[in-house]
Amino acid sequence: MSVMVSLFDAHRTRTSEKYTTYPPEVLPMFVAEMDSMLAEPVRDALVAAVTNGDTGYVGHGRALPEAFADFAESRWSWHVDPDLVRTTTDVSVAAVEILRRVIEPGDQVVIMPPVYPPFWEYVAEAGGSVTEVPLLAPSGEPDPFDTTAGWRMDLEGLARAFADGARTVLLCNPHNPLGLVHARDELAALARLAAEWDAVVVSDEIHAPLVHADATFTPFLDSCPEAAGLGVALTSASKAWNLAGTKCALMIGASDRARQWFDGMPREVVERTGILGYTASVAAFSEGGPWLASLLTELAANRRTLAERLGDVLPGVGYRQPQASYLAWLDLRALPWGDDPATLLVDEAKVALGSGPDFGRQGVGFARLNFGCSAETLDEGLSRLRTAYERCADG
């Protein structure tokens, strides 16, 4: 049985951003939210909590740190100490609060565009200034069937940023919007470089449970011995189990230094955790594995469909299958759709995609497509994009 629901049913019953930003005739393939049903253990846990009236302030138990530690051990052979796990509202809040602990006002924070647009906002909210060290793009024409990604960190650029005074890196691993899963040796190289300059790495790993079978995820803190003392990992069940609205994320450390950062946070950072998000996350990490496996099978099929069909749908498009998640980064620069093709396609195709320039200047001419949907919805989206292409080609 599919974990996805029809877009028609979702539009009829859901009120989240994905289904209310645009009119019903527009296919919403922009925001990182899936057209999925809840995993049964998650649904059952939430129903039980609501039935029992367990909707107060979050408690102070160890259920979620222990559930995540077990998940990390079984999935990535990563030993997480539950005593070095804290929760908060979401990964955005976690990023800002950790940055507030590790930087002084005006300090440089390195990000690697094209990257998740709120990264710029996190740094500004925490009082820092952004230093961009863009990822190195692969050379040559992209092969849609190549899942080796080709993108990589600019280690020489990072060294220059450290030499110029940066002491913090906000890492995206796996990387949104590229679906890049950073290799262990590159993460280790980053860690050794950061150790040389006494820098901190804050690693957003929210997409880690969604790594596809042909890639291997390495948690930054587990990439090499030096990494453990260098920073904090941020994650959540929200992307993999479609739980963003329940509001719960985890901050994970691996050192006394991280413990001190956690202990230095205002108490309210943890208190803001949503109790329903906490409940849902425990169920997801401890019992949601079978559902996640089914989801990844469906996402892999959609990922393959894009590789097989995009070249015919949009001649000249550039696409590489992502190694993680359900987000496709489309290079549309060969098409006459301007710097921000997503803006045109809402009108011309009635398909809403993520705006490429929002991910940095490296996203000019690009768009992000969410294929976390049913095969039928993806087929409809491709059909609409093809029609828009033909209309533009005909003048």
Side-chain angles (χ1 to χ4, degrees):
M1 179 179 177
S2 173
V3 304
M4 297 296 178
V5 299
S6 76
L7 186 62
F8 172 80
D9 289 339
H11 262 307
R12 184 168 52 82
T13 60
R14 298 183 182 183
T15 62
S16 63
E17 178 184 0
K18 181 171 186 178
Y19 308 103
T20 57
T21 298
Y22 295 96
E25 63 269 19
V26 175
L27 280 183
M29 308 182 85
F30 66 112
V31 70
E33 178 182 339
M34 296 184 289
D35 298 338
S36 65
M37 295 295 291
L38 285 180
E40 287 189 7
V42 172
R43 180 201 63 198
D44 293 347
L46 288 172
V47 169
V50 172
T51 300
N52 295 330
D54 191 12
T55 54
Y57 296 113
V58 72
H60 299 280
R62 289 168 52 93
L64 182 51
E66 290 177 354
F68 179 76
D70 289 344
F71 181 86
E73 187 75 54
S74 64
R75 202 161 191 91
W76 306 308
S77 299
W78 177 26
H79 178 68
V80 171
D81 181 355
D83 288 334
L84 285 172
V85 177
R86 302 291 188 275
T87 66
T88 190
T89 314
D90 53 36
V91 164
S92 298
V93 169
V96 172
E97 294 300 336
I98 288 294
L99 288 175
R100 283 177 172 154
R101 303 279 79 73
V102 304
I103 70 172
E104 298 294 333
D107 281 359
Q108 298 178 56
V109 178
V110 173
I111 66 173
M112 305 180 199
V115 73
Y116 183 49
F119 271 33
W120 281 267
E121 299 173 18
Y122 298 167
V123 176
E125 186 176 347
S129 62
V130 168
T131 294
E132 296 184 11
V133 180
L135 292 173
L136 298 175
S139 59
E141 292 297 318
D143 177 356
F145 297 98
D146 179 11
T147 61
T148 59
W151 294 82
R152 57 191 177 87
M153 284 186 272
D154 181 358
L155 294 170
E156 292 182 0
L158 288 166
R160 289 193 296 271
F162 289 142
D164 288 341
R167 292 295 180 270
T168 307
V169 175
L170 185 54
L171 177 69
C172 198
N173 178 41
H175 193 93
N176 173 10
L178 303 175
L180 165 65
V181 178
H182 293 291
R184 178 181 290 273
D185 59 349
E186 287 216 338
L187 293 171
L190 169 61
R192 288 191 287 270
L193 193 57
E196 179 182 342
W197 290 94
D198 193 27
V200 173
V201 177
V202 181
S203 185
D204 177 349
E205 301 182 354
I206 195 171
H207 292 273
L210 292 170
V211 170
H212 295 289
D214 47 19
T216 300
F217 171 70
T218 301
F220 172 76
L221 296 177
D222 195 45
S223 62
C224 65
E226 294 90 340
L230 288 173
V232 172
L234 315 175
T235 195
S236 172
S238 61
K239 284 292 177 277
W241 286 274
N242 217 38
L243 299 171
T246 64
K247 293 300 178 185
C248 180
L250 299 92
M251 301 173 281
I252 302 132
S255 66
D256 287 337
R257 191 182 188 193
R259 190 192 304 274
Q260 291 172 6
W261 293 329
F262 294 156
D263 291 345
M265 290 179 177
R267 180 177 176 181
E268 279 296 309
V269 173
V270 172
E271 296 292 331
R272 292 175 187 139
T273 306
I275 192 170
L276 293 180
Y278 191 102
T279 298
S281 298
V282 171
F285 285 123
S286 59
E287 303 176 69
W291 183 93
L292 181 60
S294 297
L295 170 69
L296 286 168
T297 297
E298 293 186 41
L299 294 181
N302 284 353
R303 183 180 73 149
R304 181 77 179 186
T305 294
L306 287 172
E308 293 170 345
R309 295 186 54 193
L310 264 176
D312 293 329
V313 170
L314 299 173
V317 68
Y319 166 69
R320 293 174 185 268
Q321 292 188 70
Q323 296 174 311
S325 202
Y326 47 82
L327 304 169
W329 187 236
L330 307 182
D331 183 353
L332 303 171
R333 290 175 294 177
L335 303 179
W337 290 346
D339 290 347
D340 190 4
T343 300
L344 178 142
L345 290 170
V346 170
D347 295 325
E348 293 293 330
K350 294 295 186 285
V351 175
L353 304 179
S355 170
D358 285 352
F359 295 83
R361 63 184 183 278
Q362 297 78 13
V364 169
F366 287 74
R368 193 187 74 174
L369 182 150
N370 176 348
F371 59 86
C373 58
S374 67
E376 292 76 18
T377 298
L378 182 59
D379 183 69
E380 176 64 19
L382 292 174
S383 176
R384 293 186 186 194
L385 291 173
R386 177 63 186 179
T387 299
Y389 172 82
E390 291 172 345
R391 188 182 300 122
C392 291
D394 291 341

